[in-house]
Amino acid sequence: KDKKRTAKEPVKDLLQLRRKVAKLEAQIEETSLSEERYRSLVESTEDSIYLVDRDYKYLFVNKKHLSRLGLLKHNFHGRRYDEFHSAENTKDFTEKVDRVFKTGHSIQYEHKSSMDDKYFLLTLSPVRGKSRKIISVTVVSKDITIQKHLEENLRTLSLTDDLTDLYNRRGFFALAEHQLKVADRQKKGL
């Protein structure tokens, strides 16, 4: 009996090992599918999406952002934000990234690009590692140029008469209020 029992144990162990391997293979396949779904989501969007670390170095850049910067896929990793942006834009961006690292909260702000005079709504969000410590910041940059132009047109329409192109009542009062504030600041009368 001992020999039969001993002979069955390696077979039993082998069957358990096969089940574990099959389970791991299924998990790997599921992870692979999940990763592919996320990659297609990030790459198919019209928004620029990128990831930067504490030193403002690019860790990931989607195709849309690569094309905006005029980069090839292998030319961005590990390069600093300031290599592609003006000193003023870099200062503004790094302050925002620092705030996300410090507070752990997402922030949004509008930005006008000096590269192409387009307007963008940037959302910076913390990325946490396994220890829950913030390890990087994800940036989603949405082109809002059309909306900004529509806002400006709407503002102009709300202040002027479309037939005469002169200020309407609201425009007149807005202009008068502005002039009064300027006069008050300069301590001069109108």
Side-chain angles (χ1 to χ4, degrees), residues 148-160 170:
K148 292 301 281 184
H149 289 305
L150 290 173
E151 280 178 21
E152 184 58 37
N153 289 345
L154 187 60
R155 188 176 301 109
T156 300
L157 288 172
S158 75
L159 298 175
T160 59
R170 179 181 291 134

Side-chain angles (χ1 to χ4, degrees), residues 65-157:
H65 197 62
L66 283 172
S67 70
R68 259 187 60 56
L69 295 178
L71 292 175
L72 299 173
K73 194 169 190 163
H74 61 276
N75 284 349
F76 74 89
H77 195 273
R79 294 181 67 185
R80 291 176 52 91
Y81 185 87
D82 62 1
E83 292 181 49
F84 307 102
H85 301 278
S86 70
E88 183 181 329
N89 287 348
T90 298
K91 182 181 181 291
D92 188 43
F93 178 77
T94 57
E95 287 172 357
K96 305 273 192 305
V97 169
D98 289 342
R99 187 171 350 145
V100 172
F101 270 107
K102 183 178 179 181
T103 65
H105 295 96
S106 297
I107 58 171
Q108 280 189 335
Y109 70 101
E110 290 183 7
H111 165 73
K112 184 175 182 183
S113 172
S114 57
M115 288 188 335
D116 51 14
D117 284 335
K118 289 186 173 186
Y119 292 91
F120 294 91
L121 176 64
L122 278 77
T123 303
L124 285 71
S125 303
V127 176
R128 298 181 187 277
K130 290 183 181 183
S131 68
R132 304 296 299 150
K133 181 180 175 189
I134 299 172
I135 56 172
S136 57
V137 172
T138 299
V139 181
V140 178
S141 179
K142 180 162 194 60
D143 186 347
I144 58 169
T145 306
I146 292 172
Q147 290 88 333
K148 292 301 281 184
H149 289 305
L150 290 173
E151 280 178 21
E152 184 58 37
N153 289 345
L154 187 60
R155 188 176 301 109
T156 300
L157 288 172

